[in-house]
Amino acid sequence: MAPWALLRPGVLVRTGHTVLTWGITLVLFLHDTALRQWEEQGELLLPLTFLLLVLGSLLLYLAVSLMDPGYVNVLPQPQQPLRARHCRECRRCVRRYDHHCPWMENCVGERNHPLFVAYLALQLVVLLWGLYLAWSGLHFFRPWGLWLRSSGLLFATFLLLSLFSLVASLLLASHLYLVASNTTTWEFISSHRIAYLRQRPGNPFDRGLTRNLAHFFCGWPSGSWETLWAEEEEGSSQDV
C-alpha cells in the first residue's frame, strides 16, 4: 500500500477519535479524580467498568464507521430504490439514507443506523461519567496561576467533555425522535425536495411507535419500503 493511502480522511478521523478517547481517559486516571481515589482504595470494579465502557464505545464507533451502511450496487438514477439517496462524499447510493457523518467519514443508512443509535447512547453514558470524574478532580484554589498549572489540563478536559456531552445528547434525542416516527434525517430536513414525500401529506412509512421501533431495531415487520408504500397507497385509496 502506498504511504499516501494511509492519509485518507477516514483513517485520519478515526485515528484522531481513538487518540482523543484514550487521551481523555488517561487524563482522568492521572489526575486526582474519583478514578484515582478508587484505585488507591483498592476498589477496582468501578475503574474497570469505566474502561470497559470506553472500550465498548470505541468499538461501536469503529464498527459503525467501517461497516457497509447499505450500499446499492446500481446507478443513482434512474434505478434508485425508495428512500435511498446518492451520497456525494461516499459516491455511492445508500438504502434508507439518513445522513453522512463527517465524524465517522461514513454514511448512516439502513444497515448501520441501529448501531449508530446504540453508539450514541453508550457514548453519552461514558461522556457523562467522564464529566463527573473530571469535576471530582477540580479543586479550585488560589493563586490562580498555580491552579492553572496543576489543573489546567483537567479543566480543559472538563470543558471538552461538556461540549461533547451536549452534542451527544442532542443527537441521541433527535435520532430517537426520528426512529419513533420512522423518518430519516434526510427526509425530515428535505421533505419538500423528495418526490415520494411531496405526493401526499404526512409520513407514509409511520406504522406507530411500537412497530416503528420493532422494525428499526429488530427488522420486524420485514419487507421493502416499496411494499410499505404500496400498502399505504392502497389504504388511502380505500379511505377515499
Side-chain angles (χ1 to χ4, degrees):
M1 179 181 293
W4 58 83
L6 298 176
L7 300 179
R8 291 178 298 179
V11 176
L12 293 176
V13 168
R14 291 162 197 141
T15 302
H17 179 90
T18 303
V19 171
L20 183 62
T21 298
W22 290 120
I24 290 176
T25 304
L26 184 62
V27 170
L28 295 176
F29 270 95
L30 291 180
H31 283 76
D32 188 23
T33 64
L35 274 178
R36 191 168 180 179
Q37 296 171 13
W38 292 332
E39 284 186 284
E40 293 173 351
Q41 296 169 4
E43 301 175 2
L44 301 181
L45 179 60
L46 288 176
L48 181 59
T49 302
F50 180 73
L51 280 177
L52 290 176
L53 289 177
V54 172
L55 179 60
S57 69
L58 184 58
L59 291 177
L60 272 178
Y61 166 83
L62 293 175
V64 175
S65 62
L66 293 174
M67 74 182 296
D68 178 354
Y71 291 128
V72 181
N73 296 320
V74 295
L75 295 175
Q77 295 292 343
Q79 296 164 296
Q80 189 171 359
L82 198 63
R83 306 193 83 181
R85 181 174 184 260
H86 185 74
C87 176
R88 294 180 179 178
E89 288 79 7
C90 295
R91 300 179 181 178
R92 301 285 297 275
C93 187
V94 181
R95 291 185 181 274
R96 197 184 180 277
Y97 174 87
D98 189 84
H99 71 287
H100 181 88
C101 181
W103 187 242
M104 297 186 173
E105 274 300 315
N106 193 19
C107 281
V108 175
E110 191 168 60
R111 291 192 61 190
N112 64 351
H113 199 176
L115 275 184
F116 179 75
V117 174
Y119 160 72
L120 287 178
L122 182 57
Q123 184 68 77
L124 182 58
V125 171
V126 173
L127 288 170
L128 292 177
W129 195 353
L131 194 63
Y132 160 76
L133 293 173
W135 179 255
S136 71
L138 288 175
H139 308 294
F140 299 95
F141 59 85
R142 295 184 178 180
W144 295 116
L146 179 61
W147 175 84
L148 191 60
R149 286 193 294 271
S150 63
S151 303
L153 183 58
L154 185 61
F155 184 64
T157 299
F158 174 79
L159 294 179
L160 202 60
L161 288 171
S162 300
L163 176 62
F164 290 163
S165 297
L166 177 61
V167 173
S169 299
L170 293 176
L171 282 174
L172 180 60
S174 63
H175 277 275
L176 287 177
Y177 169 78
L178 294 174
V179 167
S181 58
N182 201 349
T183 306
T184 66
T185 301
W186 166 247
E187 291 171 342
F188 182 78
I189 295 175
S190 305
S191 59
H192 61 287
R193 299 169 53 189
I194 302 175
Y196 59 82
L197 293 181
R198 292 201 311 264
Q199 295 175 8
R200 55 182 300 112
N203 177 14
F205 307 107
D206 188 358
R207 292 297 185 271
L209 177 61
T210 303
R211 295 187 68 186
N212 290 340
L213 294 177
H215 183 87
F216 182 81
F217 289 107
C218 306
W220 180 89
S222 59
S224 65
W225 300 118
E226 287 79 4
T227 301
L228 294 178
W229 173 265
E231 291 175 357
E232 177 70 16
E233 287 290 306
E234 182 180 354
S236 300
S237 61
Q238 290 176 355
D239 292 338
V240 174

